[in-house]
PDB file of all heavy atoms in Angstrom:
ATOM      1  N   TYR A 275      76.991 205.145  -3.803  1.00 92.00           N
ATOM      2  CA  TYR A 275      75.718 204.623  -3.998  1.00 92.00           C
ATOM      3  C   TYR A 275      75.584 203.250  -3.222  1.00 92.00           C
ATOM      4  O   TYR A 275      74.641 203.068  -2.481  1.00 92.00           O
ATOM      5  CB  TYR A 275      75.447 204.348  -5.507  1.00 92.00           C
ATOM      6  CG  TYR A 275      74.091 203.746  -5.865  1.00 92.00           C
ATOM      7  CD1 TYR A 275      73.040 204.621  -6.082  1.00 92.00           C
ATOM      8  CD2 TYR A 275      73.875 202.396  -5.856  1.00 92.00           C
ATOM      9  CE1 TYR A 275      71.728 204.125  -6.413  1.00 92.00           C
ATOM     10  CE2 TYR A 275      72.654 201.825  -6.161  1.00 92.00           C
ATOM     11  CZ  TYR A 275      71.554 202.734  -6.389  1.00 92.00           C
ATOM     12  OH  TYR A 275      70.375 202.236  -6.691  1.00 92.00           O
ATOM     13  N   TRP A 276      76.560 202.416  -3.348  1.00 90.00           N
ATOM     14  CA  TRP A 276      76.472 201.070  -2.708  1.00 90.00           C
ATOM     15  C   TRP A 276      76.741 201.179  -1.233  1.00 90.00           C
ATOM     16  O   TRP A 276      76.148 200.414  -0.482  1.00 90.00           O
ATOM     17  CB  TRP A 276      77.435 200.088  -3.420  1.00 90.00           C
ATOM     18  CG  TRP A 276      76.964 199.834  -4.796  1.00 90.00           C
ATOM     19  CD1 TRP A 276      77.576 200.263  -5.972  1.00 90.00           C
ATOM     20  CD2 TRP A 276      75.699 199.216  -5.227  1.00 90.00           C
ATOM     21  NE1 TRP A 276      76.847 199.935  -7.067  1.00 90.00           N
ATOM     22  CE2 TRP A 276      75.705 199.293  -6.629  1.00 90.00           C
ATOM     23  CE3 TRP A 276      74.717 198.633  -4.493  1.00 90.00           C
ATOM     24  CZ2 TRP A 276      74.614 198.764  -7.383  1.00 90.00           C
ATOM     25  CZ3 TRP A 276      73.650 198.082  -5.273  1.00 90.00           C
ATOM     26  CH2 TRP A 276      73.616 198.130  -6.635  1.00 90.00           C
ATOM     27  N   THR A 279      73.510 202.084   0.037  1.00 91.00           N
ATOM     28  CA  THR A 279      72.632 200.929  -0.057  1.00 91.00           C
ATOM     29  C   THR A 279      72.854 200.026   1.177  1.00 91.00           C
ATOM     30  O   THR A 279      71.817 199.607   1.824  1.00 91.00           O
ATOM     31  CB  THR A 279      73.000 200.121  -1.303  1.00 91.00           C
ATOM     32  OG1 THR A 279      72.782 200.918  -2.497  1.00 91.00           O
ATOM     33  CG2 THR A 279      72.134 198.826  -1.397  1.00 91.00           C
ATOM     34  N   ILE A 280      74.068 199.770   1.526  1.00 90.00           N
ATOM     35  CA  ILE A 280      74.358 198.936   2.669  1.00 90.00           C
ATOM     36  C   ILE A 280      73.919 199.587   3.966  1.00 90.00           C
ATOM     37  O   ILE A 280      73.250 198.979   4.782  1.00 90.00           O
ATOM     38  CB  ILE A 280      75.923 198.658   2.726  1.00 90.00           C
ATOM     39  CG1 ILE A 280      76.257 197.724   1.589  1.00 90.00           C
ATOM     40  CG2 ILE A 280      76.317 198.043   4.040  1.00 90.00           C
ATOM     41  CD1 ILE A 280      77.762 197.641   1.330  1.00 90.00           C
ATOM     42  N   SER A 283      70.210 199.516   4.285  1.00 89.00           N
ATOM     43  CA  SER A 283      69.820 198.072   4.528  1.00 89.00           C
ATOM     44  C   SER A 283      69.996 197.747   5.943  1.00 89.00           C
ATOM     45  O   SER A 283      69.188 197.035   6.525  1.00 89.00           O
ATOM     46  CB  SER A 283      70.545 197.152   3.635  1.00 89.00           C
ATOM     47  OG  SER A 283      70.295 197.381   2.282  1.00 89.00           O
ATOM     48  N   LEU A 284      71.071 198.318   6.536  1.00 91.00           N
ATOM     49  CA  LEU A 284      71.321 198.057   8.024  1.00 91.00           C
ATOM     50  C   LEU A 284      70.203 198.689   8.795  1.00 91.00           C
ATOM     51  O   LEU A 284      69.628 198.074   9.746  1.00 91.00           O
ATOM     52  CB  LEU A 284      72.682 198.726   8.425  1.00 91.00           C
ATOM     53  CG  LEU A 284      73.937 198.092   8.053  1.00 91.00           C
ATOM     54  CD1 LEU A 284      75.099 199.005   8.440  1.00 91.00           C
ATOM     55  CD2 LEU A 284      74.045 196.706   8.729  1.00 91.00           C
ATOM     56  N   ASP A 294      60.276 201.598   7.948  1.00 92.00           N
ATOM     57  CA  ASP A 294      59.933 203.000   8.002  1.00 92.00           C
ATOM     58  C   ASP A 294      61.134 203.931   8.086  1.00 92.00           C
ATOM     59  O   ASP A 294      61.180 204.949   7.412  1.00 92.00           O
ATOM     60  CB  ASP A 294      58.963 203.260   9.231  1.00 92.00           C
ATOM     61  CG  ASP A 294      57.598 202.719   9.000  1.00 92.00           C
ATOM     62  OD1 ASP A 294      57.104 202.808   7.888  1.00 92.00           O
ATOM     63  OD2 ASP A 294      57.034 202.144   9.974  1.00 92.00           O
ATOM     64  N   PHE A 297      62.653 203.967   4.701  1.00 93.00           N
ATOM     65  CA  PHE A 297      61.804 204.778   3.798  1.00 93.00           C
ATOM     66  C   PHE A 297      61.973 206.313   4.050  1.00 93.00           C
ATOM     67  O   PHE A 297      62.108 207.071   3.112  1.00 93.00           O
ATOM     68  CB  PHE A 297      60.295 204.387   4.002  1.00 93.00           C
ATOM     69  CG  PHE A 297      59.405 204.985   2.946  1.00 93.00           C
ATOM     70  CD1 PHE A 297      59.246 204.378   1.704  1.00 93.00           C
ATOM     71  CD2 PHE A 297      58.739 206.168   3.245  1.00 93.00           C
ATOM     72  CE1 PHE A 297      58.368 204.955   0.752  1.00 93.00           C
ATOM     73  CE2 PHE A 297      57.870 206.778   2.286  1.00 93.00           C
ATOM     74  CZ  PHE A 297      57.661 206.179   1.081  1.00 93.00           C
ATOM     75  N   LEU A 298      62.064 206.650   5.329  1.00 94.00           N
ATOM     76  CA  LEU A 298      62.208 208.055   5.687  1.00 94.00           C
ATOM     77  C   LEU A 298      63.613 208.563   5.253  1.00 94.00           C
ATOM     78  O   LEU A 298      63.779 209.657   4.742  1.00 94.00           O
ATOM     79  CB  LEU A 298      62.105 208.294   7.171  1.00 94.00           C
ATOM     80  CG  LEU A 298      60.646 208.252   7.725  1.00 94.00           C
ATOM     81  CD1 LEU A 298      60.654 208.375   9.220  1.00 94.00           C
ATOM     82  CD2 LEU A 298      59.845 209.391   7.046  1.00 94.00           C
ATOM     83  N   GLY A 301      63.668 208.649   1.460  1.00 93.00           N
ATOM     84  CA  GLY A 301      62.597 209.461   0.870  1.00 93.00           C
ATOM     85  C   GLY A 301      61.892 208.680  -0.230  1.00 93.00           C
ATOM     86  O   GLY A 301      61.433 209.216  -1.179  1.00 93.00           O
ATOM     87  N   GLY A 302      61.840 207.360  -0.093  1.00 91.00           N
ATOM     88  CA  GLY A 302      61.132 206.502  -1.045  1.00 91.00           C
ATOM     89  C   GLY A 302      61.641 205.037  -0.916  1.00 91.00           C
ATOM     90  O   GLY A 302      62.217 204.684   0.202  1.00 91.00           O
ATOM     91  N   ASN A 303      61.435 204.261  -1.989  1.00 88.00           N
ATOM     92  CA  ASN A 303      61.817 202.834  -1.828  1.00 88.00           C
ATOM     93  C   ASN A 303      63.223 202.599  -2.353  1.00 88.00           C
ATOM     94  O   ASN A 303      63.735 201.447  -2.245  1.00 88.00           O
ATOM     95  CB  ASN A 303      60.821 201.957  -2.568  1.00 88.00           C
ATOM     96  CG  ASN A 303      59.429 202.183  -2.059  1.00 88.00           C
ATOM     97  OD1 ASN A 303      59.145 201.942  -0.885  1.00 88.00           O
ATOM     98  ND2 ASN A 303      58.482 202.644  -2.825  1.00 88.00           N
ATOM     99  N   GLN A 304      63.827 203.496  -3.066  1.00 88.00           N
ATOM    100  CA  GLN A 304      65.133 203.284  -3.632  1.00 88.00           C
ATOM    101  C   GLN A 304      65.986 204.511  -3.496  1.00 88.00           C
ATOM    102  O   GLN A 304      65.423 205.615  -3.274  1.00 88.00           O
ATOM    103  CB  GLN A 304      64.946 202.901  -5.101  1.00 88.00           C
ATOM    104  CG  GLN A 304      64.212 203.957  -5.892  1.00 88.00           C
ATOM    105  CD  GLN A 304      63.914 203.443  -7.308  1.00 88.00           C
ATOM    106  OE1 GLN A 304      63.430 202.294  -7.450  1.00 88.00           O
ATOM    107  NE2 GLN A 304      64.215 204.217  -8.324  1.00 88.00           N
ATOM    108  N   ASP A 306      67.527 207.572  -4.636  1.00 91.00           N
ATOM    109  CA  ASP A 306      67.112 208.390  -5.823  1.00 91.00           C
ATOM    110  C   ASP A 306      67.362 209.832  -5.526  1.00 91.00           C
ATOM    111  O   ASP A 306      68.076 210.141  -4.584  1.00 91.00           O
ATOM    112  CB  ASP A 306      65.660 208.037  -6.261  1.00 91.00           C
ATOM    113  CG  ASP A 306      65.364 208.219  -7.667  1.00 91.00           C
ATOM    114  OD1 ASP A 306      66.101 208.938  -8.361  1.00 91.00           O
ATOM    115  OD2 ASP A 306      64.456 207.594  -8.135  1.00 91.00           O
ATOM    116  N   ASN A 308      65.428 211.982  -4.171  1.00 94.00           N
ATOM    117  CA  ASN A 308      64.950 212.301  -2.799  1.00 94.00           C
ATOM    118  C   ASN A 308      66.082 211.993  -1.802  1.00 94.00           C
ATOM    119  O   ASN A 308      66.266 212.778  -0.827  1.00 94.00           O
ATOM    120  CB  ASN A 308      63.758 211.514  -2.480  1.00 94.00           C
ATOM    121  CG  ASN A 308      62.483 212.096  -3.004  1.00 94.00           C
ATOM    122  OD1 ASN A 308      62.558 213.129  -3.740  1.00 94.00           O
ATOM    123  ND2 ASN A 308      61.340 211.476  -2.749  1.00 94.00           N
ATOM    124  N   ARG A 312      67.900 214.678   0.645  1.00 96.00           N
ATOM    125  CA  ARG A 312      67.786 214.472   2.128  1.00 96.00           C
ATOM    126  C   ARG A 312      69.179 214.413   2.720  1.00 96.00           C
ATOM    127  O   ARG A 312      69.441 215.060   3.733  1.00 96.00           O
ATOM    128  CB  ARG A 312      67.090 213.191   2.391  1.00 96.00           C
ATOM    129  CG  ARG A 312      65.594 213.438   2.550  1.00 96.00           C
ATOM    130  CD  ARG A 312      64.722 212.232   2.513  1.00 96.00           C
ATOM    131  NE  ARG A 312      63.435 212.735   2.186  1.00 96.00           N
ATOM    132  CZ  ARG A 312      62.351 212.466   2.829  1.00 96.00           C
ATOM    133  NH1 ARG A 312      62.358 211.612   3.847  1.00 96.00           N
ATOM    134  NH2 ARG A 312      61.162 213.049   2.533  1.00 96.00           N
TER     135      ARG A 312
ATOM    136  N   VAL B 109      57.435 213.857  11.525  1.00 92.00           N
ATOM    137  CA  VAL B 109      57.711 212.622  10.917  1.00 92.00           C
ATOM    138  C   VAL B 109      56.837 212.339   9.677  1.00 92.00           C
ATOM    139  O   VAL B 109      57.286 211.907   8.614  1.00 92.00           O
ATOM    140  CB  VAL B 109      57.508 211.432  11.910  1.00 92.00           C
ATOM    141  CG1 VAL B 109      57.657 210.088  11.212  1.00 92.00           C
ATOM    142  CG2 VAL B 109      58.474 211.577  13.072  1.00 92.00           C
ATOM    143  N   MET B 112      57.984 214.239   6.671  1.00 92.00           N
ATOM    144  CA  MET B 112      59.151 213.639   5.955  1.00 92.00           C
ATOM    145  C   MET B 112      58.847 212.383   5.107  1.00 92.00           C
ATOM    146  O   MET B 112      59.655 211.902   4.407  1.00 92.00           O
ATOM    147  CB  MET B 112      60.216 213.261   7.002  1.00 92.00           C
ATOM    148  CG  MET B 112      60.866 214.412   7.724  1.00 92.00           C
ATOM    149  SD  MET B 112      61.526 215.653   6.576  1.00 92.00           S
ATOM    150  CE  MET B 112      62.975 214.730   5.991  1.00 92.00           C
ATOM    151  N   ARG B 113      57.540 211.940   5.179  1.00 92.00           N
ATOM    152  CA  ARG B 113      57.137 210.798   4.321  1.00 92.00           C
ATOM    153  C   ARG B 113      56.566 211.357   3.038  1.00 92.00           C
ATOM    154  O   ARG B 113      55.479 211.920   3.089  1.00 92.00           O
ATOM    155  CB  ARG B 113      56.078 209.907   5.031  1.00 92.00           C
ATOM    156  CG  ARG B 113      56.646 209.026   6.063  1.00 92.00           C
ATOM    157  CD  ARG B 113      55.449 208.085   6.553  1.00 92.00           C
ATOM    158  NE  ARG B 113      55.276 207.079   5.584  1.00 92.00           N
ATOM    159  CZ  ARG B 113      55.855 205.934   5.571  1.00 92.00           C
ATOM    160  NH1 ARG B 113      56.684 205.623   6.535  1.00 92.00           N
ATOM    161  NH2 ARG B 113      55.565 205.028   4.645  1.00 92.00           N
ATOM    162  N   PRO B 114      57.243 211.197   1.885  1.00 91.00           N
ATOM    163  CA  PRO B 114      56.675 211.703   0.675  1.00 91.00           C
ATOM    164  C   PRO B 114      55.389 211.041   0.236  1.00 91.00           C
ATOM    165  O   PRO B 114      55.285 209.811   0.411  1.00 91.00           O
ATOM    166  CB  PRO B 114      57.763 211.510  -0.358  1.00 91.00           C
ATOM    167  CG  PRO B 114      58.667 210.467   0.193  1.00 91.00           C
ATOM    168  CD  PRO B 114      58.526 210.492   1.636  1.00 91.00           C
ATOM    169  N   LEU B 117      55.805 209.552  -5.169  1.00 89.00           N
ATOM    170  CA  LEU B 117      57.137 209.130  -5.577  1.00 89.00           C
ATOM    171  C   LEU B 117      57.288 209.056  -7.035  1.00 89.00           C
ATOM    172  O   LEU B 117      56.371 208.610  -7.773  1.00 89.00           O
ATOM    173  CB  LEU B 117      57.386 207.758  -4.988  1.00 89.00           C
ATOM    174  CG  LEU B 117      57.491 207.683  -3.379  1.00 89.00           C
ATOM    175  CD1 LEU B 117      57.598 206.218  -2.962  1.00 89.00           C
ATOM    176  CD2 LEU B 117      58.689 208.463  -2.921  1.00 89.00           C
ATOM    177  N   PHE B 118      58.403 209.494  -7.509  1.00 87.00           N
ATOM    178  CA  PHE B 118      58.668 209.457  -8.995  1.00 87.00           C
ATOM    179  C   PHE B 118      59.551 208.313  -9.223  1.00 87.00           C
ATOM    180  O   PHE B 118      60.628 208.471  -9.787  1.00 87.00           O
ATOM    181  CB  PHE B 118      59.225 210.790  -9.501  1.00 87.00           C
ATOM    182  CG  PHE B 118      58.307 211.921  -9.169  1.00 87.00           C
ATOM    183  CD1 PHE B 118      58.352 212.644  -7.960  1.00 87.00           C
ATOM    184  CD2 PHE B 118      57.336 212.263 -10.117  1.00 87.00           C
ATOM    185  CE1 PHE B 118      57.461 213.722  -7.757  1.00 87.00           C
ATOM    186  CE2 PHE B 118      56.394 213.283  -9.873  1.00 87.00           C
ATOM    187  CZ  PHE B 118      56.502 213.985  -8.658  1.00 87.00           C
ATOM    188  N   GLU B 119      59.041 207.116  -8.902  1.00 85.00           N
ATOM    189  CA  GLU B 119      59.916 205.904  -9.076  1.00 85.00           C
ATOM    190  C   GLU B 119      59.314 205.106 -10.263  1.00 85.00           C
ATOM    191  O   GLU B 119      58.138 205.249 -10.539  1.00 85.00           O
ATOM    192  CB  GLU B 119      59.928 205.107  -7.782  1.00 85.00           C
ATOM    193  CG  GLU B 119      60.676 205.725  -6.669  1.00 85.00           C
ATOM    194  CD  GLU B 119      60.552 204.996  -5.281  1.00 85.00           C
ATOM    195  OE1 GLU B 119      59.870 203.978  -5.288  1.00 85.00           O
ATOM    196  OE2 GLU B 119      61.214 205.487  -4.375  1.00 85.00           O
ATOM    197  N   PRO B 120      60.088 204.318 -10.948  1.00 83.00           N
ATOM    198  CA  PRO B 120      59.504 203.495 -12.009  1.00 83.00           C
ATOM    199  C   PRO B 120      58.484 202.534 -11.426  1.00 83.00           C
ATOM    200  O   PRO B 120      58.669 202.101 -10.305  1.00 83.00           O
ATOM    201  CB  PRO B 120      60.728 202.768 -12.591  1.00 83.00           C
ATOM    202  CG  PRO B 120      61.824 202.871 -11.562  1.00 83.00           C
ATOM    203  CD  PRO B 120      61.558 204.097 -10.786  1.00 83.00           C
ATOM    204  N   LYS B 144      66.961 195.562 -11.252  1.00 89.00           N
ATOM    205  CA  LYS B 144      67.615 194.667 -10.264  1.00 89.00           C
ATOM    206  C   LYS B 144      66.858 193.316 -10.276  1.00 89.00           C
ATOM    207  O   LYS B 144      66.355 192.868  -9.193  1.00 89.00           O
ATOM    208  CB  LYS B 144      67.607 195.349  -8.861  1.00 89.00           C
ATOM    209  CG  LYS B 144      68.409 196.595  -8.838  1.00 89.00           C
ATOM    210  CD  LYS B 144      68.524 197.213  -7.483  1.00 89.00           C
ATOM    211  CE  LYS B 144      69.228 198.431  -7.452  1.00 89.00           C
ATOM    212  NZ  LYS B 144      69.229 199.167  -6.220  1.00 89.00           N
ATOM    213  N   LEU B 164      73.119 192.627   2.468  1.00 88.00           N
ATOM    214  CA  LEU B 164      72.941 194.070   2.776  1.00 88.00           C
ATOM    215  C   LEU B 164      72.471 194.878   1.520  1.00 88.00           C
ATOM    216  O   LEU B 164      72.664 196.113   1.480  1.00 88.00           O
ATOM    217  CB  LEU B 164      74.206 194.680   3.328  1.00 88.00           C
ATOM    218  CG  LEU B 164      74.401 194.253   4.806  1.00 88.00           C
ATOM    219  CD1 LEU B 164      75.795 194.786   5.354  1.00 88.00           C
ATOM    220  CD2 LEU B 164      73.374 194.904   5.783  1.00 88.00           C
ATOM    221  N   GLY B 165      71.861 194.224   0.556  1.00 87.00           N
ATOM    222  CA  GLY B 165      71.161 194.949  -0.491  1.00 87.00           C
ATOM    223  C   GLY B 165      71.975 195.391  -1.646  1.00 87.00           C
ATOM    224  O   GLY B 165      71.515 196.221  -2.407  1.00 87.00           O
ATOM    225  N   CYS B 166      73.208 194.984  -1.807  1.00 89.00           N
ATOM    226  CA  CYS B 166      73.978 195.369  -3.020  1.00 89.00           C
ATOM    227  C   CYS B 166      73.388 194.547  -4.196  1.00 89.00           C
ATOM    228  O   CYS B 166      72.681 193.557  -3.971  1.00 89.00           O
ATOM    229  CB  CYS B 166      75.458 194.973  -2.904  1.00 89.00           C
ATOM    230  SG  CYS B 166      76.225 196.101  -1.695  1.00 89.00           S
ATOM    231  N   MET B 167      73.783 194.855  -5.393  1.00 91.00           N
ATOM    232  CA  MET B 167      73.229 194.131  -6.578  1.00 91.00           C
ATOM    233  C   MET B 167      74.251 193.036  -6.978  1.00 91.00           C
ATOM    234  O   MET B 167      75.446 193.352  -7.158  1.00 91.00           O
ATOM    235  CB  MET B 167      73.003 195.051  -7.721  1.00 91.00           C
ATOM    236  CG  MET B 167      72.203 194.380  -8.824  1.00 91.00           C
ATOM    237  SD  MET B 167      71.455 195.520  -9.928  1.00 91.00           S
ATOM    238  CE  MET B 167      72.853 196.069 -10.816  1.00 91.00           C
ATOM    239  N   CYS B 181      79.933 193.294  -2.959  1.00 90.00           N
ATOM    240  CA  CYS B 181      80.179 194.055  -1.706  1.00 90.00           C
ATOM    241  C   CYS B 181      80.831 193.170  -0.662  1.00 90.00           C
ATOM    242  O   CYS B 181      81.870 193.529  -0.101  1.00 90.00           O
ATOM    243  CB  CYS B 181      78.869 194.578  -1.135  1.00 90.00           C
ATOM    244  SG  CYS B 181      78.248 196.000  -2.095  1.00 90.00           S
ATOM    245  N   HIS B 182      80.240 191.995  -0.357  1.00 91.00           N
ATOM    246  CA  HIS B 182      80.848 191.145   0.706  1.00 91.00           C
ATOM    247  C   HIS B 182      81.059 189.713   0.212  1.00 91.00           C
ATOM    248  O   HIS B 182      81.191 188.840   1.098  1.00 91.00           O
ATOM    249  CB  HIS B 182      80.006 191.176   1.997  1.00 91.00           C
ATOM    250  CG  HIS B 182      79.704 192.606   2.408  1.00 91.00           C
ATOM    251  ND1 HIS B 182      78.586 193.290   2.233  1.00 91.00           N
ATOM    252  CD2 HIS B 182      80.511 193.535   3.087  1.00 91.00           C
ATOM    253  CE1 HIS B 182      78.665 194.549   2.705  1.00 91.00           C
ATOM    254  NE2 HIS B 182      79.872 194.705   3.192  1.00 91.00           N
ATOM    255  N   ARG B 218      57.496 194.154  -6.579  1.00 87.00           N
ATOM    256  CA  ARG B 218      57.127 194.311  -5.198  1.00 87.00           C
ATOM    257  C   ARG B 218      56.348 193.170  -4.650  1.00 87.00           C
ATOM    258  O   ARG B 218      56.061 193.083  -3.441  1.00 87.00           O
ATOM    259  CB  ARG B 218      56.330 195.683  -4.993  1.00 87.00           C
ATOM    260  CG  ARG B 218      57.151 196.570  -4.029  1.00 87.00           C
ATOM    261  CD  ARG B 218      56.551 197.897  -3.951  1.00 87.00           C
ATOM    262  NE  ARG B 218      57.357 198.848  -4.763  1.00 87.00           N
ATOM    263  CZ  ARG B 218      56.989 199.988  -5.175  1.00 87.00           C
ATOM    264  NH1 ARG B 218      55.731 200.364  -4.928  1.00 87.00           N
ATOM    265  NH2 ARG B 218      57.826 200.816  -5.807  1.00 87.00           N
TER     266      ARG B 218
END
Side-chain angles (χ1 to χ4, degrees):
Chain A
Y275 184 87
W276 294 110
T279 299
I280 290 169
S283 297
L284 285 173
D294 287 321
F297 188 84
L298 284 176
N303 300 303
Q304 58 189 46
D306 211 335
N308 279 0
R312 270 167 198 230
Chain B
V109 173
M112 292 305 289
R113 285 188 74 90
L117 291 174
F118 300 91
E119 292 175 357
K144 297 182 180 172
L164 284 172
C166 291
M167 192 163 72
C181 286
H182 305 102
R218 239 171 259 161

